[in-house]
Amino acid sequence: MNKEKALSICDGKCSPRKQNKRETGGIEMKRHQYHDVFMRGTLERITYVTTNREGEPRDKYANVYLPHGYDAADKEKKYNILYVMHGGAGNPDSWLDCCKVKNMLDYAIDRGEVQPLIVVFPSYYKEKVPRAGAPDAERERNNVLLFQNELVEELLPAVESAYHTYAEDVTKEALIASRMHRGISGFSMGGCTTWFAFINHLDYFSEFVPLSGDCWAIEVMGGLSKPVETVKVLRESAVKSGYGTDEFFIRVATGTKDAASEPLTMQVNEMKKYPEVFVYNDDHTKGNFHFLHEKDEVHSYESVYQFLYHFLPYLFKSK
């Protein structure tokens, strides 16, 4: 396992993005540039109670993007919802601080490129201070694992009891029944969080968008060191869930100059060996498995928010 790469992936940085020269996938990447948007969405903060590593109660918050026109009094209007996780050492503010993701959402919705949706920016950390000192890959992996129960037992109920999603209520049954209208994405360790959500919570999510982060189910950087074993876990989770290939979708992206490029490429290539589960297609309107490998993009929010912009129009199209 390449320790330098693992530590790089543990750090989701606000670093500048290299200028793109050309795309390397089957479809040219759609790219966002800042635009003045009159019909802007709003940001709110929601708090909820969870426990830290020691089992002590603690308050956490998540940032919630509400599209322009969202009306709390209009209970008839329902919205798809996407949970977007930060990278290592980040917090719920990282995506909003480090790139133009809000302007991108405002613009894409205003232009009709995507249907209005709710986007939630939470944190997988249990501690009030995300991380002190140098990154520790094993501890980061453990943080993501500890977050899995909180994700569906505390975060989802807190958010979806407050906003108009397709969940009729926030019982387990209602959250599962509305899974086709819910997705999860993330950058770097947030991408790792997304893979763990696929393994553990296919009942709750249908859209999975891991950005510049491979699956660490077996071990740190497992996509690189143990791609066969890693993909076996992913495949078995999908088969065990009972969901068909039109009931879950995986959209992966990274850059050729990203530390996650090699592990994700190896993992994706291994996943392609199981087309009965992972139906790969360069055409994002077909199949349930897609990989964007963009030339010269690096490990930064400025790169991955472009990946998210590229994928957004294809999300929730099955419903």
Side-chain angles (χ1 to χ4, degrees), residues 31 52 58-59 73 88 93 113 115 128 159 168 223 228 238 254 260 272 282 293 299 304 313:
R31 189 169 296 278
N52 61 15
R58 64 155 295 196
D59 293 331
D93 303 323
E113 295 176 2
Q115 291 296 311
K128 291 184 178 180
V159 171
E168 294 297 327
V228 173
T254 191
K272 288 179 180 180
D282 283 332
H293 197 197
H299 201 73
V304 296

Side-chain angles (χ1 to χ4, degrees), residues 70-115:
Y70 181 90
D71 182 356
D74 183 2
K75 296 183 180 180
E76 297 302 314
K77 174 67 174 175
K78 306 295 184 183
Y79 293 85
N80 295 315
I81 187 165
L82 180 66
Y83 293 80
V84 180
M85 308 302 302
H86 60 75
N91 60 42
D93 303 323
S94 295
W95 274 85
L96 299 165
D97 288 345
C98 296
C99 64
K100 298 178 282 293
V101 67
K102 182 182 182 298
N103 179 257
M104 179 271 283
L105 291 168
D106 287 340
Y107 177 75
I109 292 170
D110 184 56
R111 295 283 294 180
E113 295 176 2
V114 301
Q115 291 296 311

Side-chain angles (χ1 to χ4, degrees), residues 24-275:
T24 59
I27 295 179
E28 185 174 358
M29 187 178 85
K30 193 174 186 179
R31 189 169 296 278
H32 173 260
Q33 294 182 341
Y34 183 88
H35 294 83
D36 287 333
V37 180
F38 180 69
M39 304 294 188
R40 299 177 185 175
T42 58
L43 291 170
E44 296 186 358
R45 178 174 289 192
I46 189 167
T47 60
Y48 64 100
V49 177
T50 184
T51 55
N52 61 15
R53 286 172 174 265
E54 291 71 37
E56 302 165 337
R58 64 155 295 196
D59 293 331
K60 285 184 70 171
Y61 74 94
N63 290 312
V64 181
Y65 171 87
L66 300 175
H68 176 79
Y70 181 90
D71 182 356
D74 183 2
K75 296 183 180 180
E76 297 302 314
K77 174 67 174 175
K78 306 295 184 183
Y79 293 85
N80 295 315
I81 187 165
L82 180 66
Y83 293 80
V84 180
M85 308 302 302
H86 60 75
N91 60 42
D93 303 323
S94 295
W95 274 85
L96 299 165
D97 288 345
C98 296
C99 64
K100 298 178 282 293
V101 67
K102 182 182 182 298
N103 179 257
M104 179 271 283
L105 291 168
D106 287 340
Y107 177 75
I109 292 170
D110 184 56
R111 295 283 294 180
E113 295 176 2
V114 301
Q115 291 296 311
L117 79 164
I118 297 171
V119 182
V120 183
F121 300 94
S123 176
Y124 61 79
Y125 285 114
K126 293 286 187 181
E127 298 85 353
K128 291 184 178 180
V129 177
R131 188 177 75 205
D136 180 326
E138 287 291 352
R139 186 173 178 84
E140 290 295 314
R141 179 176 181 270
N142 189 245
N143 284 327
V144 170
L145 283 168
L146 286 173
F147 175 68
Q148 292 302 306
N149 285 341
E150 176 188 328
L151 172 61
V152 298
E153 294 177 5
E154 296 163 347
L155 177 63
L156 263 62
V159 171
E160 300 195 34
S161 63
Y163 300 102
H164 302 321
T165 69
Y166 282 87
E168 294 297 327
D169 54 53
V170 291
T171 61
K172 179 179 179 180
E173 293 76 16
L175 290 171
I176 290 174
S178 56
R179 64 177 291 278
M180 293 302 290
H181 299 279
R182 187 178 303 109
I184 184 167
S185 179
F187 165 46
S188 193
M189 288 307 300
C192 182
T193 307
T194 303
W195 290 114
F196 273 115
F198 181 86
I199 293 167
N200 294 292
H201 302 309
L202 257 168
D203 275 345
Y204 292 85
F205 300 92
S206 64
E207 294 280 359
F208 300 86
V209 190
L211 307 173
S212 294
D214 61 312
C215 179
W216 291 12
I218 299 296
E219 64 182 21
V220 170
M221 296 283 285
L224 177 65
S225 60
K226 294 186 177 179
V228 173
E229 296 87 342
T230 296
V231 171
K232 181 181 178 181
V233 173
L234 293 169
R235 179 182 177 277
E236 288 177 350
S237 296
V239 171
K240 185 179 178 180
S241 75
Y243 294 113
T245 56
D246 60 347
E247 295 178 295
F248 67 87
F249 303 88
I250 305 172
R251 311 175 197 277
V252 187
T254 191
T256 59
K257 293 186 177 180
D258 190 318
S261 176
E262 186 179 4
L264 268 179
T265 300
M266 292 187 68
Q267 180 184 316
V268 164
N269 287 339
E270 185 65 25
M271 292 173 73
K272 288 179 180 180
K273 296 177 181 178
Y274 300 97

